[in-house]
Amino acid sequence: MEIGGRRLKSRETMAVKSVTKSSPPPRSRAIPFLFENPKIPFAVALLFADAVLVFLIIAFVPYTKIDWDAYMSQVDGFLEGERDYRNLKGDTGPLVYPAGFLYIYSAFHYFTSAQVYPAQILFGVLYIINLAIVLAIYVKTDVVPWWALCLLSLSKRVHSIFVLRLFNDCVAITLLHAALLLLMHRRWNLGLILFSGAVSVKMNVLLYAPSLLLLMLKAMDIGGVLLSLTGAAVAQILLGLPFLVSHPVAYLSRAFNLGRVFIHFWSVNFKFIPEPVFVSKGFAIFLLAAHLILLAVFAHYRWCKHEGGLCNFLRSRYVFMRLKLALFFSSSPKNFGKSSSSSIKILTEEHIVTTMFVGNFIGIICARSLHYQFYSWYFYSLPYLLWRTQYPTLLRLILFVGVELCWNIYPSNNLSSVLLLCLHLIIFWGLWSAPPEYPYAQSKPSSHKDK
């Protein structure tokens, strides 16, 4: 019995040891999971390295006085009770941004006492938050190779825009990127509200609106689209309510002025255009028409190619809406529910980001004037757009460096603006000639290969 007991005990011990050897320790699983995608540790390291760089810039590079004092003057008027946009002014002129700008910069005023140095630290934190969001977008889409993520930290101009100029473009683009990340996670309602918040800081975010509307029509039924748009509109109304109640005409005409004419001297993209032509209505109408045509062409031949083109896609949505209404008013609630669920398809992250970034880039090409801070509107999409083309890697890097070089020439001149336009058009052609990705995560053809 003792011998048998020992044998039994030894067998149990051997079994336990074998199980122990075969199963990895629990904590070892977390590390391989982190390194399954090499982009994740690289992105984290890049984030820390850029944080150090931002700290060094704030510590050793002189601040450039441009708009911060004007922002603070406008905020002072708001905090003192002024609600008429005609009376909210600063050193650089009257206030031309929606109400969200006032609320956010009032918070900055409170935390910094309107002083530049603490504001720079605050914007340094904002820069890192924005970069973290952008890196999350890039890692999730898996379009750009891991080593190319460092391009997102190599812009001298963008670092300057954030921590040496303190422009409100930085806040708007951070909110926009956060909204885009929510859309990638199919949080459409919340993403639309955050998108509306970005618009309330600066109207350039509306360049993303046509692409966003198309994506919503693809991802949701008409009821969902209307609900999301209503939420965004309500958010915009609530933000502007103090001004809409007291002086609505002044608020709407100043904060949402689509007819502003920028000074020719500050133009980075169309400096080669003679000033009389630059400020003319004819030139503005031409660029607006080009913008709308390019959006329509891209939507028809690229973004809706797998749905048979833009017209067929819109027709199918219209037919489905009529069918849904017919089922709703019929006595078949079960069929109504099945029809609604069967029509909703999940969009891929790549299709969402590509459509949003390309739509904004078309708006950048057709913008009458791009000032230096406007570079932040599309810089963070450049690596993604370049890797969406079929250009060789060397040409992609040359285009990236060329665009960055044009934005660092001050003041801009005829040559730099012509070069920037040519580089934009080359990138645009690469996007046009590249095959469109399949937009849906479900019902994906087995023969299709992602590119």
Side-chain angles (χ1 to χ4, degrees):
M1 291 294 295
E2 189 174 340
I3 297 175
R6 288 179 182 176
R7 286 180 181 176
L8 182 61
K9 197 170 185 180
S10 62
R11 287 177 183 176
E12 290 176 353
T13 305
M14 291 174 63
V16 170
K17 288 181 178 180
S18 64
V19 171
T20 306
K21 290 180 180 180
S22 62
S23 59
R27 66 176 184 177
S28 66
R29 293 180 182 178
I31 298 177
F33 175 77
L34 181 64
F35 287 90
E36 279 179 2
N37 187 349
K39 291 183 180 180
I40 297 178
F42 186 79
V44 173
L46 184 64
L47 203 61
F48 279 101
D50 210 342
V52 174
L53 178 60
V54 167
F55 170 78
L56 294 175
I57 292 173
I58 295 174
F60 297 105
V61 180
Y63 160 78
T64 305
K65 179 181 177 181
I66 298 182
D67 280 349
W68 174 256
D69 291 341
Y71 292 164
M72 292 299 100
S73 298
Q74 294 161 356
V75 164
D76 282 335
F78 168 67
L79 294 177
E80 290 170 3
E82 182 61 64
R83 296 299 180 264
D84 189 345
Y85 254 57
R86 293 170 296 185
N87 299 326
L88 293 174
K89 300 178 181 179
D91 299 339
T92 57
L95 176 60
V96 293
Y97 308 122
F101 160 82
L102 282 175
Y103 301 138
I104 291 176
Y105 272 80
S106 294
F108 290 166
H109 186 286
Y110 174 79
F111 287 111
T112 65
S113 300
Q115 300 299 311
V116 169
Y117 182 70
Q120 285 185 279
I121 297 175
L122 199 60
F123 270 77
V125 174
L126 181 67
Y127 174 90
I128 297 302
I129 292 173
N130 176 65
L131 181 60
I133 296 171
V134 173
L135 287 171
I137 293 172
Y138 272 71
V139 169
K140 191 167 181 62
T141 53
D142 201 25
V143 170
V144 177
W146 65 269
W147 59 266
L149 295 179
C150 65
L151 298 177
L152 296 167
S153 296
L154 295 182
S155 174
K156 175 183 176 182
R157 176 60 64 185
V158 170
H159 281 93
S160 174
I161 291 169
F162 269 84
V163 297
L164 298 181
R165 269 74 173 179
L166 315 179
F167 286 120
N168 64 329
D169 306 76
C170 309
V171 180
I173 205 65
T174 302
L175 292 174
L176 181 277
H177 289 148
L180 179 56
L181 190 60
L182 287 173
L183 298 182
M184 294 170 64
H185 287 86
R186 298 185 292 279
R187 303 294 298 274
W188 293 93
N189 293 332
L190 186 57
L192 260 290
I193 292 174
L194 204 56
F195 180 86
S196 182
V199 173
S200 75
V201 177
K202 196 159 188 177
M203 275 203 313
N204 69 280
V205 178
L206 288 175
L207 292 177
Y208 287 91
S211 303
L212 178 56
L213 179 59
L214 181 63
L215 291 171
M216 291 168 62
L217 290 172
K218 284 189 174 188
M220 295 184 286
D221 58 20
I222 300 300
V225 172
L226 293 177
L227 180 63
S228 295
L229 292 177
T230 301
V234 169
Q236 200 66 232
I237 292 171
L238 290 176
L239 288 170
L241 193 60
F243 310 97
L244 291 172
V245 170
S246 57
H247 301 86
V249 176
Y251 176 68
L252 294 175
S253 61
R254 295 296 181 98
F256 298 96
N257 182 8
L258 298 175
R260 289 177 62 198
V261 179
F262 293 99
I263 300 174
H264 179 256
F265 174 80
W266 294 109
S267 178
V268 180
N269 57 332
F270 283 124
K271 193 66 171 289
F272 63 93
I273 300 293
E275 187 170 1
V277 177
F278 178 84
V279 300
S280 66
K281 280 190 175 181
F283 186 54
I285 293 173
F286 166 76
L287 290 175
L288 177 61
H291 186 192
L292 296 177
I293 290 172
L294 291 177
L295 283 174
V297 169
F298 247 88
H300 183 74
Y301 291 102
R302 288 293 177 267
W303 301 332
C304 293
K305 181 179 180 180
H306 296 279
E307 292 85 0
L310 179 61
C311 296
N312 285 337
F313 169 71
L314 294 177
R315 188 182 302 113
S316 67
R317 302 308 293 165
Y318 173 72
V319 170
F320 170 72
M321 180 182 68
R322 293 187 59 182
L323 176 62
K324 185 176 178 181
L325 289 174
L327 290 173
F328 179 78
F329 289 108
S330 68
S331 57
S332 306
K334 293 182 179 180
N335 293 335
F336 171 75
K338 290 179 181 178
S339 174
S340 299
S341 60
S342 63
S343 69
I344 298 175
K345 296 181 180 179
I346 298 176
L347 298 176
T348 63
E349 291 89 354
E350 288 81 3
H351 183 66
I352 293 173
V353 176
T354 300
T355 305
M356 291 286 281
F357 280 169
V358 173
N360 177 67
F361 186 65
I362 291 173
I364 293 294
I365 294 175
C366 299
R368 175 154 53 161
S369 182
L370 295 177
H371 291 185
Y372 284 96
Q373 65 268 33
F374 298 177
Y375 187 32
S376 61
W377 295 3
Y378 76 107
F379 164 75
Y380 288 102
S381 67
L382 269 180
Y384 186 97
L385 294 175
L386 288 170
W387 261 264
R388 263 301 174 202
T389 68
Q390 292 188 310
Y391 294 146
T393 300
L394 180 59
L395 180 56
R396 291 166 176 161
L397 295 176
I398 291 174
L399 291 171
F400 179 87
V401 172
V403 171
E404 175 70 19
L405 177 64
C406 290
W407 281 98
N408 282 281
I409 295 176
Y410 176 82
S412 61
N413 52 57
N414 293 344
L415 180 60
S416 66
S417 61
V418 168
L419 178 59
L420 181 62
L421 178 61
C422 291
L423 293 171
H424 284 170
L425 293 177
I426 293 172
I427 297 172
F428 176 80
W429 176 252
L431 294 168
W432 171 257
S433 58
E437 71 280 347
Y438 188 77
Y440 301 110
Q442 295 178 345
S443 306
K444 196 169 184 177
S446 57
S447 60
H448 177 79
K449 292 184 180 179
D450 287 332
K451 295 184 180 181

